[in-house]
Amino acid sequence: MRFSRGRNFLFRVPEGEELLSFINRFVKENNVLIGTVSAIGSLRNPKIGYFDEKAGKYRVISLSGTYELVSLSGNISVKDGEPFAHIHVALGDSSGKLHGGHLIEGEVFVAEVFIGELLGEPLERKPQGNGLTLWDETRI
Amino acid sequence: MRFSRGRNFLFRVPEGEELLSFINRFVKENNVLIGTVSAIGSLRNPKIGYFDEKAGKYRVISLSGTYELVSLSGNISVKDGEPFAHIHVALGDSSGKLHGGHLIEGEVFVAEVFIGELLGEPLERKPQGNGLTLWDETRI
Amino acid sequence: MRFSRGRNFLFRVPEGEELLSFINRFVKENNVLIGTVSAIGSLRNPKIGYFDEKAGKYRVISLSGTYELVSLSGNISVKDGEPFAHIHVALGDSSGKLHGGHLIEGEVFVAEVFIGELLGEPLERKPQGNGLTLWDETRI
């Protein structure tokens, strides 16, 4: 739960890349095992998920067109032995209304991404039996 | 206004906890007096506030059901002698529409929280006479 | 693309200031050339932009009244030889609905801003021929 600071990356994802898979490739190639991630930009035809607690799975919401990437927040930890990005996004349409949820995919028009690496004990996602893979809970 | 970096915490809040009071307990128990906080996850029955400037108080908006915690942004400083979290959230419903404002409360389904401690001169909230408790302004 | 950590600023913008120009003045006066920025608060009469890919320019969305500043995310880099803030915001109205996009301007009612400076090779925006000024792409 407590970490020291590692490397800091601020970069632009190439236009046309799929954002989530690019971030996952980036952290794998740079061996970032724990960290935080944030970004702004603009995405084409994003798909977001709403996790339906009762159904135990994500409902997929497919948006079409280009959306402002108003916020992207998330973290990096280890899942199935590899670094894994868990990311939520807020997306603005042409009238300024916001849509959002769990990022499933989105084609990059523009993406300016910050990744702050954290160093310390492994932080690992494990299947929870409710459809999610999560870290152990921290109690106080 | 200028701070050095302290400890870094990345952790999962136990399911069923009330998120805002958990964060306030966490910073108190860990003696985090200044810092930033961010998170993603999913909240049940969140209550958010809209500060009505003319009325000088928060209008409470009660949402029911489970919402994606699309963004959580805020800071930690001192109020009434104790560390205090000021937090705003964006929440996604099952159709992907976003709602949000000042976090009043929300039951955790999932919450993955990052707290970045800052070290330096005390940063203190003081009543402003307009219904808010704020830091002194920084002029340039 | 890879940076070390510089100074950390957490401060309150004076009421009545225009937020974007204040942040740009702040980073210029403090010589912050690269960094990340986040904030929460409340803005009056904000203007946000939606970048229309086909038209190659921003469509301006003017909101009236006071909005919760639910999230503000962005970065600092160099444009035309000076530090420049690129910022996106999510804004909550009195019913809790969210609006958002590229921050064009907004009068501060309350703004609590965090700026994390990054140190390293210059990160510079260059005109792209599509109406935007962007960093070079980072390929992996």
Side-chain angles (χ1 to χ4, degrees):
Chain A
M1 144 184 125
R2 191 172 149 192
F3 302 95
S4 56
R5 288 260 164 195
R7 295 164 292 169
N8 301 283
F9 303 93
L10 180 63
F11 58 95
R12 177 177 164 220
V13 179
E15 184 177 340
E17 292 276 356
E18 192 286 299
L19 181 57
L20 183 60
S21 59
F22 187 92
I23 292 173
N24 275 313
R25 269 160 47 219
F26 185 94
V27 294
K28 194 172 170 185
E29 298 223 358
N30 287 284
N31 201 34
V32 177
L33 301 179
I34 316 170
T36 62
V37 54
S38 61
I40 57 172
S42 175
L43 294 182
R44 297 177 186 130
N45 307 315
K47 284 186 188 168
I48 52 179
Y50 168 84
F51 192 79
D52 184 328
E53 247 196 281
K54 282 176 191 156
K57 62 181 180 181
Y58 283 100
R59 185 181 304 186
V60 179
I61 299 157
S62 298
L63 301 172
S64 62
T66 307
Y67 286 75
E68 293 289 317
L69 178 57
V70 167
S71 73
L72 177 154
S73 313
N75 55 60
I76 313 295
S77 60
V78 171
K79 183 180 167 184
D80 299 329
E82 295 200 341
F84 171 85
H86 179 207
I87 287 174
H88 284 193
V89 293
L91 300 159
D93 66 24
S94 61
S95 70
K97 288 206 185 66
L98 291 192
H99 310 257
H102 176 89
L103 178 63
I104 294 173
E105 65 173 54
E107 183 190 325
V108 170
F109 171 40
V110 176
E112 298 171 354
V113 177
F114 175 71
I115 294 176
E117 185 188 31
L118 296 171
L119 301 170
E121 291 296 305
L123 184 63
E124 197 157 353
R125 293 186 178 277
K126 301 164 191 169
Q128 302 293 306
N130 64 357
L132 294 169
T133 54
L134 301 171
W135 312 326
D136 290 337
E137 295 176 337
T138 293
R139 299 189 176 278
I140 52 174
Chain B
M1 144 184 125
R2 193 172 149 192
F3 302 95
S4 56
R5 288 260 165 198
R7 295 163 292 168
N8 301 282
F9 303 93
L10 182 61
F11 58 94
R12 177 177 164 221
V13 179
E15 186 178 341
E17 290 276 355
E18 193 286 301
L19 181 57
L20 183 60
S21 59
F22 187 92
I23 291 173
N24 275 314
R25 267 160 47 217
F26 185 93
V27 294
K28 194 172 172 186
E29 299 222 358
N30 287 284
N31 201 33
V32 177
L33 301 180
I34 316 170
T36 61
V37 54
S38 61
I40 57 171
S42 177
L43 295 183
R44 297 177 186 130
N45 307 316
K47 285 187 189 168
I48 52 179
Y50 169 84
F51 191 80
D52 184 329
E53 247 196 281
K54 281 174 193 157
K57 60 180 182 181
Y58 283 100
R59 186 180 306 184
V60 179
I61 300 157
S62 297
L63 302 171
S64 61
T66 306
Y67 287 75
E68 292 289 317
L69 178 58
V70 166
S71 73
L72 178 154
S73 312
N75 55 61
I76 313 295
S77 59
V78 170
K79 184 179 167 184
D80 299 329
E82 295 200 341
F84 171 85
H86 179 205
I87 288 173
H88 285 193
V89 292
L91 300 159
D93 66 25
S94 61
S95 71
K97 288 207 186 65
L98 291 192
H99 311 256
H102 176 88
L103 178 63
I104 295 173
E105 64 173 56
E107 183 190 325
V108 170
F109 171 40
V110 176
E112 298 171 355
V113 177
F114 175 71
I115 295 175
E117 185 187 30
L118 296 170
L119 301 170
E121 291 296 306
L123 184 63
E124 196 157 354
R125 293 186 178 276
K126 299 165 193 167
Q128 301 294 306
N130 64 357
L132 294 169
T133 55
L134 301 171
W135 312 326
D136 290 338
E137 296 177 337
T138 292
R139 302 190 173 276
I140 54 174
Chain C
M1 137 183 134
R2 192 173 149 192
F3 302 94
S4 56
R5 288 261 164 197
R7 294 163 291 168
N8 302 283
F9 302 94
L10 181 61
F11 58 95
R12 177 178 165 220
V13 179
E15 186 178 341
E17 291 276 354
E18 192 286 300
L19 181 57
L20 184 59
S21 59
F22 186 93
I23 291 173
N24 275 314
R25 267 160 48 216
F26 185 93
V27 294
K28 195 174 171 186
E29 298 222 358
N30 287 284
N31 201 34
V32 177
L33 301 179
I34 315 170
T36 61
V37 54
S38 61
I40 58 171
S42 176
L43 294 182
R44 297 177 186 131
N45 307 315
K47 285 186 188 168
I48 53 180
Y50 168 85
F51 191 79
D52 184 329
E53 248 196 281
K54 282 176 191 156
K57 60 180 181 182
Y58 283 100
R59 185 180 306 186
V60 179
I61 299 156
S62 298
L63 302 171
S64 61
T66 307
Y67 287 75
E68 291 289 317
L69 178 58
V70 167
S71 74
L72 177 154
S73 312
N75 55 61
I76 313 295
S77 58
V78 171
K79 183 180 169 184
D80 299 329
E82 294 199 342
F84 171 85
H86 180 206
I87 288 174
H88 284 193
V89 292
L91 300 158
D93 66 23
S94 60
S95 71
K97 289 206 184 65
L98 291 191
H99 311 256
H102 176 90
L103 178 62
I104 295 173
E105 63 172 57
E107 182 190 327
V108 171
F109 171 40
V110 176
E112 298 172 354
V113 177
F114 176 71
I115 294 176
E117 185 187 30
L118 296 170
L119 302 170
E121 291 296 306
L123 184 64
E124 197 157 353
R125 294 186 177 276
K126 300 164 192 168
Q128 302 293 305
N130 64 358
L132 294 170
T133 55
L134 301 171
W135 312 326
D136 290 338
E137 295 176 337
T138 293
R139 301 190 174 278
I140 52 174

